[in-house]
Amino acid sequence: MVSTGRDRPRHVEKGSVARAEVVDETLDLAAHEAAVADNKAGAVVSFQGVVRDHDHGRSVTLLEYEGHPTAGAILREVAEEIAADPDVYAVAVSHRIGTLQIGDVALVAAVSTAHRAAAFAACARLVDEAKARLPIWKRQVFLDGTDEWVNCP
């Protein structure tokens, strides 16, 4: 029998940030979920932001994300704020930068809590705050060869 690690008791410190990073490599949802796993948690809610092939009726071929050097520190601040919620056991969040193709994952977030309602709410706050505060800019390249920058200050 192969052990998955789920058969061993696991505890994460309440309100911990298991992961908060800006990277230029493929993101792994399962790794984020495992990072927040806790035997006391009755809920782990996760989210993946996936590159889609359209935006406002226009065909998109790829996205390029550029991040300010402070993006990692700001993402950690956001994660720490969400982790400070007394209902939250742990938080993991990562944003990818660089060139992403259709279907690639740009953002992964996972949150663990005792109950599902708190986990859904905390994960939504985590994603919303990350999108609102991260100094990461997105260039969309369209099928017709034009492009546009989105979320630029």
Side-chain angles (χ1 to χ4, degrees):
M1 182 170 119
V2 175
S3 173
T4 64
R6 291 193 183 272
D7 52 357
R8 294 186 305 250
R10 183 161 194 280
H11 171 72
V12 295
E13 184 176 326
K14 193 148 178 91
S16 72
V17 175
R19 171 186 271 175
E21 59 190 0
V22 174
V23 298
D24 62 357
E25 57 200 33
T26 301
L27 300 178
D28 182 355
L29 176 65
H32 285 71
E33 291 172 339
V36 302
D38 188 310
N39 285 345
K40 294 186 323 238
V44 172
V45 170
S46 58
F47 170 84
Q48 291 187 107
V50 180
V51 177
R52 63 182 181 268
D53 68 356
H54 66 280
D55 189 38
H56 299 291
R58 298 179 71 191
S59 295
V60 173
T61 59
L62 64 89
L63 299 180
E64 291 178 350
Y65 286 96
E66 288 190 20
H68 189 272
T70 62
I74 291 170
L75 187 57
R76 182 148 193 92
E77 286 175 12
V78 169
E80 288 171 352
E81 289 172 17
I82 301 305
D85 180 326
D87 289 334
V88 173
Y89 289 125
V91 170
V93 60
S94 298
H95 199 298
R96 188 170 167 194
I97 56 173
T99 302
L100 282 73
Q101 304 297 320
I102 305 305
D104 285 347
V105 177
L107 175 70
V108 171
V111 175
S112 62
T113 67
H115 303 285
R116 72 177 176 271
F120 278 113
C123 193
R125 284 194 322 271
L126 176 59
V127 171
D128 290 346
E129 284 298 312
K131 289 191 61 72
R133 293 171 42 192
L134 271 182
I136 292 181
W137 304 282
K138 176 173 68 175
R139 177 177 165 253
Q140 299 187 115
V141 178
F142 297 103
L143 186 60
D144 65 8
T146 62
D147 65 353
E148 74 177 359
W149 286 92
V150 182
N151 300 332
C152 296

